[in-house]
């Protein structure tokens, strides 16, 4: 069983952060904080933040650091974070990482591991443009690699699956570019802090075992 662990999942869009979060959460209940999910929820509820965020997201750009860091800071005060948490898709810039450090310090928490999902570009683009999400429960599928049993219908809840607007080829390419320019520097940032665990495609099938054993 995992002790209380505070984790960050870093990786290019489509590297598998969300998918492996779900797998790990099945075994180890902890808080799952996906900034992409939080933003998509704001968009759905048509809040002011949601309307601003939608423009940036659809262009493949990042939402401003201070806004996103404030959102995460609030979320980290929820009681479920006592069991540990996975930050999925945050931080994405050095500035966000610094703001996170400050937030954690003031909340008396610390990071245990930063998991970097390393995947090559061709695989990423192929995956992103074939990705589908369930409208209702959010489960992630892939037309090529992890299709639904019945075409376009979620295996779990029977609702329709759809392609995220930012998973079009053009937007996917800009998101990948943003990843290299703004997010990749985090690898060095966390490696210096001795927190980094790199996971490649080869480890994919053993990922839960690796994480579990690393995190005992
Ligand atoms: P993926 O990891 O597949 O790119 P996410 O669901 O994590 O997708 O994010 C979707 C979009 O939401 C991003 O392209 C960006 O516009 C916005 N977003 C999510 N997390 C952050 C963040 N930490 N900082 C800035 N923008 C973010
Ligand atoms: Zn579903």
């Amino acid at each position: 069983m995992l002790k209380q662990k505070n984790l960050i999942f870093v990786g290019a869009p489509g590297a598998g952060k969300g998918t492996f979060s779900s797998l790990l959460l099945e075994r180890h209940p902890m808080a799952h904080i996906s900034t992409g999910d939080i933003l998509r929820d704001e968009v759905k509820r048509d809040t002011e933040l949601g309307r601003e965020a939608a423009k940036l997201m659809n262009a493949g750009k990042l939402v401003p650091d201070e806004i996103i860091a404030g959102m995460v800071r609030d979320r980290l005060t929820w009681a479920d974070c006592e069991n540990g948490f996975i930050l999925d898709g945050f931080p994405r810039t050095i500035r966000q990482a610094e703001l996170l450090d400050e937030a954690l310090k003031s909340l008396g928490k610390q990071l245990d591991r930063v998991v970097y999902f390393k995947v090559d570009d061709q695989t990423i683009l192929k995956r992103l443009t074939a990705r589908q999400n369930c409208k209702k429960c959010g489960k992630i599928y892939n037309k090529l690699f992890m299709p639904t049993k019945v075409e376009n219908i979620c295996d779990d809840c029977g609702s329709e699956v759809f392609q995220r607007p930012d998973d079009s080829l053009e937007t996917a390419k800009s998101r990948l570019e943003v990843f290299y320019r703004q997010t990749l520097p985090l690898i060095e940032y966390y490696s210096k802090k001795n927190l980094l665990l790199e996971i490649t495609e080869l480890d994919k099938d053993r990922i839960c075992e690796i994480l579990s054993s690393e995190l005992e």
Side-chain angles (χ1 to χ4, degrees):
M1 190 60 195
L2 280 191
K3 286 193 234 100
Q4 190 228 302
K5 289 294 172 189
N6 298 336
L7 310 176
I8 292 178
F9 281 6
V10 194
K17 304 180 297 283
T19 305
F20 290 119
S21 296
S22 319
L23 284 175
L24 192 64
L25 290 168
E26 276 173 21
R27 299 195 185 186
H28 308 288
M30 57 211 287
H32 178 221
I33 306 176
S34 156
T35 43
D37 286 348
I38 299 176
L39 290 171
R40 278 185 290 277
D41 185 57
E42 297 279 342
V43 175
K44 208 154 106 195
R45 290 190 289 117
D46 198 29
T47 62
E48 205 181 316
L49 169 60
R51 282 194 291 272
E52 280 310 305
K55 287 184 217 152
L56 296 164
M57 291 165 82
N58 291 335
K61 293 188 182 144
L62 296 183
V63 171
D65 293 336
E66 318 285 329
I67 293 179
I68 208 103
M71 232 169 59
V72 171
R73 193 191 184 287
D74 288 344
R75 181 61 183 84
L76 285 171
T77 62
W78 293 20
D80 61 347
C81 294
E82 299 296 319
N83 301 322
F85 55 79
I86 300 175
L87 284 173
D88 166 358
F90 176 92
R92 261 175 152 92
T93 65
I94 294 283
R95 181 66 189 139
Q96 289 181 16
E98 290 166 355
L99 291 168
L100 175 65
D101 287 341
E102 285 168 25
L104 290 172
K105 201 167 161 199
S106 73
L107 296 168
K109 295 179 188 288
Q110 57 181 25
L111 292 172
D112 295 295
R113 201 66 103 223
V114 176
V115 185
Y116 171 37
F117 295 86
K118 198 172 178 186
V119 182
D120 70 87
D121 292 3
Q122 281 319 310
T123 311
I124 293 283
L125 288 176
K126 232 198 260 170
R127 264 198 212 155
L128 281 181
T129 50
R131 177 156 74 175
Q132 295 182 308
N133 296 61
C134 173
K135 273 195 173 130
K136 193 155 168 226
C137 74
K139 186 158 178 186
I140 306 166
Y141 296 93
N142 188 294
K143 275 195 252 181
L144 299 173
F145 309 109
M146 235 197 292
T148 51
K149 291 197 184 104
V150 179
E151 203 181 345
N152 297 337
I153 297 295
C154 175
D155 297 350
D156 285 5
C157 76
S159 300
E160 222 182 307
V161 298
F162 74 108
Q163 186 186 47
R164 273 170 39 184
D166 57 344
D167 278 345
S168 66
L169 182 62
E170 198 195 354
T171 311
K173 280 185 180 157
S174 353
R175 284 158 63 207
L176 200 55
E177 210 248 321
V178 166
F179 171 77
Y180 283 115
R181 194 158 30 89
Q182 309 210 58
T183 309
L184 206 60
L186 289 179
I187 301 308
E188 199 189 330
Y189 182 88
Y190 287 119
S191 151
K192 279 190 186 143
K193 293 182 188 269
N194 261 330
L195 288 172
L196 203 70
L197 168 66
E198 191 173 293
I199 288 195
T200 67
E201 280 297 276
L202 297 173
D203 305 319
K204 208 172 68 190
D205 299 329
R206 297 189 306 123
I207 202 149
C208 283
E209 284 70 24
I210 294 175
L211 285 174
S212 297
S213 66
E214 270 280 332
L215 299 171
E216 294 288 281

